[in-house]
Amino acid sequence: VTVDPTLGSCMKSVGEVMAIGRTFEETIQKALRMVDESCTGFEAERFDEELQHRRNTASAEESVKRELTTPTPMRMWSIAKAYELGMSVEEVHQLTSIDRWFLAKLHHIHRVRSSLKSMDYSELREHSELLREAKRCGFADRQIAAVLRAKDEVLPISPPLRAKDEVLGADPYTGGRVKETHVRYLRKKLGIVPMVKQIDTLAAEFPAETNYLYLTYSGEEHDIQLAGLGEEAAGGLSKDFEPLGVTRFSSPQRSAERAPEGSPKDGEGVPSSRIVVLGCGPYRIGSSVE
């Protein structure tokens, strides 16, 4: 006996994921990666894997139409498969009744992915705007690496540049299968780095000081002063720097007010009180993490 996977008004599972971004495309891809760590985003391959697991014998088009008509947990990836098969936004709308606005945004992700699939690493390097748009649409570095065409020929790198990259721990591309580190190396070389944005938890009624922060590639400046950066760098980081943490206490006075009695103060050889957020991976609400 198996559980009926059909989705309706009755809640069948506990928990949900939460993703924050500045575009729908960015947010939905972040959310899909939180559903399952093995998923890289909005991609048709996920639906193909499910059909294999079900030992499906029907044609891909028939399976997709059945999935779109009767909602199950695989519906999102069935939409990706529908676009891969050439179905239009209007056709998917007729089968799902999902608002065309959402379907158009998902179709944009599909178009960006198709453009990436048509390129190899060298070609992507010449089309930096496509890489920038992919990051704005929530594509992870490993997701981009997985769809780029491999290049058989070995790309030469000058000895001085190779030595510099080795010191910095960088991983330049020299041919073969593209890896996540290669995409990250190129992205940082092109100055495509995330911005730290702050969520206004007080709806502008009062100045918000809560460190409710998220990273996005759709911003042009940081909303907060990052630790280790001067005033002149508040609006953007260098291409070789990505944020790892934020200063919790922005002034010596506030730090002194919140520091426990008897604790060392600034200027006594001990750093002021700070909290560094390094990230904890996907977090599912309802996953018993208190």
Side-chain angles (χ1 to χ4, degrees), residues 15-70:
E16 65 262 15
V17 299
M18 182 176 72
I20 303 172
R22 306 197 93 193
T23 66
F24 174 80
E25 296 94 330
E26 175 187 25
T27 309
I28 193 68
Q29 293 225 79
K30 283 182 178 181
L32 289 174
R33 283 193 286 273
M34 286 187 180
V35 171
D36 189 335
E37 290 88 340
S38 64
C39 170
T40 59
F42 185 68
E43 53 192 20
E45 287 79 3
R46 182 72 175 178
F47 185 71
D48 293 332
E49 291 174 7
E50 179 64 18
L51 291 185
Q52 266 191 328
H53 176 71
R54 296 179 187 176
R55 297 181 180 177
N56 181 71
T57 56
S59 67
E61 187 172 351
E62 183 183 339
S63 301
V64 165
K65 288 184 176 180
R66 184 171 61 243
E67 195 74 30
L68 294 177
T69 306
T70 306

Side-chain angles (χ1 to χ4, degrees), residues 180-199:
E180 176 183 0
T181 51
H182 296 146
V183 176
R184 184 173 186 269
Y185 173 84
L186 175 61
R187 175 172 61 73
K188 295 181 72 176
K189 281 287 184 183
L190 295 173
I192 304 174
V193 295
M195 296 292 121
V196 178
K197 290 296 179 181
Q198 182 179 40
I199 297 175

Side-chain angles (χ1 to χ4, degrees), residues 145-161:
V147 299
L148 289 175
R149 289 190 284 109
K151 202 173 184 69
D152 295 330
E153 62 181 287
V154 177
L155 304 178
I157 298 179
S158 63
L161 184 59

